Amino acid sequence: MATQAEKADSASAAIDFDKNGGVVAAIAVDYRSHRVLTVAYMNREAFDETVATGRACYFSRSRNKLWRKGEESGNFQIVREIRIDCDADAIVVAVEPRGDGAACHEGYESCFFRKLDAGAWKVVDERKVDPAKYGPNYGHQKKPAG
């Protein structure tokens, strides 16, 4: 009988991580509502950890390290299903959100909380939580100007 690590290795071998420089797009959707929560990236290590633990783990390209969803905020994601696309270079991770129910670092349920309306972006969702709750260094760091 195969161990969890062996199953993860076997599953990750089918994914084309090389096509996009070592990562694949990982689209997180709410398992129940099917709403897109976020688009992140996974490298092989993040994918294998996700399979082994049953919790979403992504790869932060800006920080060049694993990003265990919820490690700072408690808003982790229990993985219910993983699908791969026909080119083996993108996956959909169906998750059950936990914690405050905010997948977005700005405190919204989904990172897709703005909608184009008459040529302007409008916030159309209500914030689930004030991200300041998680501390001053929570979320994406501001990019340096210039």
Side-chain angles (χ1 to χ4, degrees), residues 7-8 11 13 21 23 27 36-37 41 47 58-59 66 80 83 86 90 95-96 106 115 119 133 137 145-146:
K7 288 178 186 177
V23 296
I27 300 94
V36 175
L37 300 175
Y41 294 87
F47 179 82
Y58 304 107
F59 180 75
L66 292 183
R80 296 296 178 207
R83 292 180 179 236
C86 58
V95 300
E96 183 181 326
E106 292 191 32
K115 175 173 95 171
K133 166 184 177 180
N137 296 322

Side-chain angles (χ1 to χ4, degrees), residues 120-136:
W121 292 106
K122 305 261 170 90
V123 173
V124 295
D125 292 350
E126 288 191 35
R127 199 174 281 218
K128 293 267 187 185
V129 64
D130 181 349
K133 166 184 177 180
Y134 309 124

Side-chain angles (χ1 to χ4, degrees), residues 2-146:
T3 66
Q4 279 297 98
E6 290 169 336
K7 288 178 186 177
D9 286 344
S10 174
S12 64
I15 301 171
D16 189 352
F17 289 100
D18 295 330
K19 189 182 287 182
N20 292 310
V23 296
V24 295
I27 300 94
V29 300
D30 184 292
Y31 182 69
R32 290 186 189 96
S33 71
H34 306 290
R35 181 172 190 198
V36 175
L37 300 175
T38 193
V39 176
Y41 294 87
M42 286 186 180
N43 62 5
R44 185 179 304 272
E45 185 180 3
F47 179 82
D48 289 347
E49 181 172 316
T50 296
V51 172
T53 65
R55 283 190 178 200
C57 177
Y58 304 107
F59 180 75
S60 171
R61 296 173 303 156
S62 61
R63 291 178 280 172
N64 196 34
K65 68 176 197 166
L66 292 183
W67 162 37
R68 292 169 179 91
K69 181 70 177 130
E71 65 189 340
E72 294 176 46
S73 66
N75 295 321
F76 61 95
Q77 298 171 338
I78 302 294
V79 176
R80 296 296 178 207
E81 179 178 273
I82 301 174
R83 292 180 179 236
I84 189 171
D85 78 326
C86 58
D87 292 326
D89 63 358
I91 61 173
V92 172
V93 185
V95 300
E96 183 181 326
R98 296 289 178 89
D100 293 321
C104 177
H105 76 280
E106 292 191 32
Y108 293 90
E109 173 186 20
S110 168
C111 293
F112 299 92
F113 59 88
R114 292 177 290 244
K115 175 173 95 171
L116 189 61
D117 183 1
W121 292 106
K122 305 261 170 90
V123 173
V124 295
D125 292 350
E126 288 191 35
R127 199 174 281 218
K128 293 267 187 185
V129 64
D130 181 349
K133 166 184 177 180
Y134 309 124
N137 296 322
Y138 178 73
H140 298 295
Q141 303 306 313
K142 298 285 185 209
K143 293 185 174 130

